[in-house]
């Protein structure tokens, strides 16, 4: 352990440090944070501050703070920090030193060696300057590896069989796409392309512009010269963007933003994911153009790519995944935190150099895509069962995703919601795993928004809920065994096979060695059947909604009786009995 080599991702926006612990890559946290924002500053007392603290003061005191120094590394230039000029190597060294200290505190010993990652397109001058930054920080840079190589390593890409991979890396300020070939355990970057000035910051800027316009139009105020208000707007825009990765709408609210002609200005506006996606569409287009240039550079066709790895925080934006899926026809990998996989790959490379044993990184992911059907376009034609994926294959568990849908005609009172597992653009070719109806929608025009939330936990239980956005009216179901490894019809067939096996066993073993509660005539089953009779007698007198609820419960009870699941009867029996009690009283 004496010569631990640390792995460092020295990023434009964020940096991380990782080591190998018990064979696995681990990001070392500082103050409970895995990510160190790549900001360096001097505080009011002239003390050096790095990371979150420096980031917080950036908008208020830009003259005392430096960000995105990676953009200048290798250039013969200097930056000004509170009146003193520093080289990019020195500023980078401050970030590296801070990461080195984090590792030393965690490990309780001095660290002197590191593997540092650099973009594949970095020139010799940029690489040399990065090495110098390491030296200034007291670190011998034993190897510099390309970021896409590190990402591939974190995915355990040391496999023997030859593969071609695309690493799509969209961070805060930069976009890089690389074509990587792996053969006999050797990772080689075939081509790389990108844009040094495209990233999540541009997405934030689009939201900032939207907010400034809103304030101009609604509150008749221009806040762009008020640095404090701009700082709040900038932070709010990034937060909104992050929320929109999981939710179809976000409410952006900032109270007492500033005073205008003696009255306080409050910001309160809603932004939908669809509106936001329109704002960033051109940026995504240019990343895909760059991807095709990289493919051309590697002289390979899109169809030859075996896997796609997503790197960088901005790849959490759902439409990026969708666009890549449409382009390549399969789901990109995002199992490993896209913010952390480069540092983890650096740690793996570091451990390999130090002769340590490394296991592949394993995480829990969903092997399937889950979604619903809606009116859409399939093969160029309008089709009512177009598949709309909500949780994508390869997502890390647990995961919660919400999508918005709208009613299709005026006065629509209910919506049918079908849940499918599979990848086919035609929902009917996927496996239906659940269905329910939301009734009692408000009487309004077509376009009434219904949000659908899918939440898949580590045990493979899928919670599905749908909500009418305006009223909060909600209905939900729980689908057990959503992660069952059977595909399509095989699932139904296996179920039938097992049920029929139980049927035969029941008739053979009946009355012999089963406890009373497991027999078809167990008292619990009798009670449940009597309850169903009572419920069915009430059908003529009850509202449509009550009838549907009762119907669902009867179905649940019958399926449990069929499966011999006596314990599982309690829930639906109690619920049905509550409804009957309420209706009869
Ligand atoms: P990186 O440079 O890889 O650390 O990426 C940082 C960028 O990722 C910043 O622009 C963040 O705002 C952005 N980001 C982080 N989380 C998310 C998210 N959940 N959805 C969209 N963008 C995100």
């Amino acid at each position: 352990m004496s010569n631990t080599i640390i792995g460092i991702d020295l990023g434009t926006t964020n940096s991380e440090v990782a080591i190998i612990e018990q064979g696995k890559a681990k990001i070392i946290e500082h103050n409970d944070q895995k990510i160190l924002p790549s900001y360096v500053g001097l505080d009011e007392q002239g003390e050096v501050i790095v990371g979150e603290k420096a980031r917080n003061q950036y908008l208020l005191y830009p003259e005392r703070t430096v960000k995105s120094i990676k953009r200048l590394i290798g250039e013969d230039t200097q930056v000004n920090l509170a009146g003193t000029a520093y080289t990019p190597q020195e500023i980078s060294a401050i970030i590296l030193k801070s990461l080195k200290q984090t590792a030393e505190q965690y490990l309780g010993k001095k660290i002197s060696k590191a593997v540092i990652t650099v973009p594949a397109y970095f020139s010799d001058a940029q690489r040399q300057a990065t090495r110098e930054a390491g030296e200034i920080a007291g670190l011998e840079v034993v190897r510099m590896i390309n970021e896409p190589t590190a990402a591939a390593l974190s995915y355990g890409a040391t496999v023997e069989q030859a593969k071609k991979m695309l690493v799509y890396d969209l961070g805060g300020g930069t976009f890089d796409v690389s074509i990587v070939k792996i053969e006999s355990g050797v990772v080689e970057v075939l081509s790389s392309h990108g844009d040094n000035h495209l990233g999540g910051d541009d997405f934030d800027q689009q939201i900032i512009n939207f907010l400034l316009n809103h304030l101009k139009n609604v509150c008749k105020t221009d806040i762009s010269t008020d640095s404090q208000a701009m700082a709040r707007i900038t932070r709010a825009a990034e937060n909104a963007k992050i929320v929109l990765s999981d939710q179809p709408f976000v409410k952006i609210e900032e109270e007492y933003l500033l005073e205008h002609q003696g009255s306080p200005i409050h910001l309160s506006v809603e932004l939908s994911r669809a509106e936001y996606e329109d704002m960033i569409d051109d940026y995504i287009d240019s990343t895909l153009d760059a991807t095709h240039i990289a493919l051309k550079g590697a002289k390979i066709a899109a169809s030859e790519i075996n896997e796609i790895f997503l790197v960088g925080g901005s790849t959490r934006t759902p439409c990026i995944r969708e666009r890549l899926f449409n382009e390549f026809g399969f789901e990109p990998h995002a199992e490993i935190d896209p913010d952390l996989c480069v540092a983890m790959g650096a740690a793996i490379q570091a451990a390999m150099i130090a002769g340590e044993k490394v296991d592949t990184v394993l995480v829990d992911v969903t092997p399937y895509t889950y979604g619903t059907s809606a009116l859409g376009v399939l093969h160029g034609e309008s089709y009512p069962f177009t598949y709309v994926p909500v949780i994508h294959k390869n997502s890390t568990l647990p995961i919660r995703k919400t999508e918005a849908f709208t009613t299709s005609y005026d006065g629509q009172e209910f919506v049918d919601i079908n849940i499918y597992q599979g990848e086919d653009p035609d929902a009917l070719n996927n496996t239906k795993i659940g269905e329910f109806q939301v009734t009692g929608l408000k009487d309004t025009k077509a376009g009434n928004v219904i949000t659908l939330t899918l939440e898949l936990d580590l045990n493979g239980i899928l919670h599905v809920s749908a909500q009418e956005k305006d009223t909060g009216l909600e209905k939900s179901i729980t689908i057990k065994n959503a992660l069952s490894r059977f595909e399509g019809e095989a699932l139904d067939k296996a179920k039938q096979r097992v049920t029929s096996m139980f049927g035969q066993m029941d008739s053979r073993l009946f009355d012999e060695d089963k406890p009373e509660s497991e027999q078809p005539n167990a008292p619990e089953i009798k009670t449940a059947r009597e309850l169903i009779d009572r419920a069915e007698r009430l059908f003529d007198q009850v509202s449509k909604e009550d009838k549907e609820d009762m119907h669902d419960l009867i179905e649940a009870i019958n399926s449990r009786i069929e499966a011999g699941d006596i314990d599982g009867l309690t829930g639906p029996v109690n619920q049905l009995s509550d409804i009957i009690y309420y209706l009869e009283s």
Side-chain angles (χ1 to χ4, degrees), residues 13-14 170-172 200-201 204 238 241-242 245 312-314 316-317 339:
T13 325
N14 293 311
L170 187 61
D201 296 349
D204 297 349
E238 185 181 7
K241 170 187 80 174
I242 290 172
S245 287
S314 300
R316 293 203 183 89
T317 312
D339 287 317

Side-chain angles (χ1 to χ4, degrees), residues 397-417:
L397 301 182
I399 183 166
R400 184 176 200 273
K401 291 279 174 188
T402 305
E403 289 286 342
F405 299 86
T406 49
T407 52
S408 45
Y409 53 90
D410 294 351
Q412 188 169 333
E413 284 176 1
F414 67 92
V415 282
D416 283 316
I417 293 174

Side-chain angles (χ1 to χ4, degrees), residues 9 11-16 35-36 38 55 169-174 199-204 237-246 276 311-318 320 338-340 401:
D9 170 9
T12 310
T13 325
N14 293 311
S15 300
E16 299 86 23
I35 287 172
L36 181 79
S38 303
R55 177 175 129 119
D169 180 352
L170 187 61
T174 55
D201 296 349
D202 299 301
F203 300 177
D204 297 349
E238 185 181 7
N239 288 340
K241 170 187 80 174
I242 290 172
V243 170
L244 288 175
S245 287
D246 295 327
Y276 167 63
V311 182
S314 300
T315 59
R316 293 203 183 89
T317 312
I320 290 179
D339 287 317
L340 309 179
K401 291 279 174 188

Side-chain angles (χ1 to χ4, degrees), residues 38-42 48-51 54 64-66 81 91 94-95:
S38 303
Y39 285 70
V40 173
L42 291 178
V48 160
I49 48 173
V50 186
R64 286 204 256 120
T65 325
V66 176
L81 189 61
I91 301 292
I94 296 172
I95 300 169

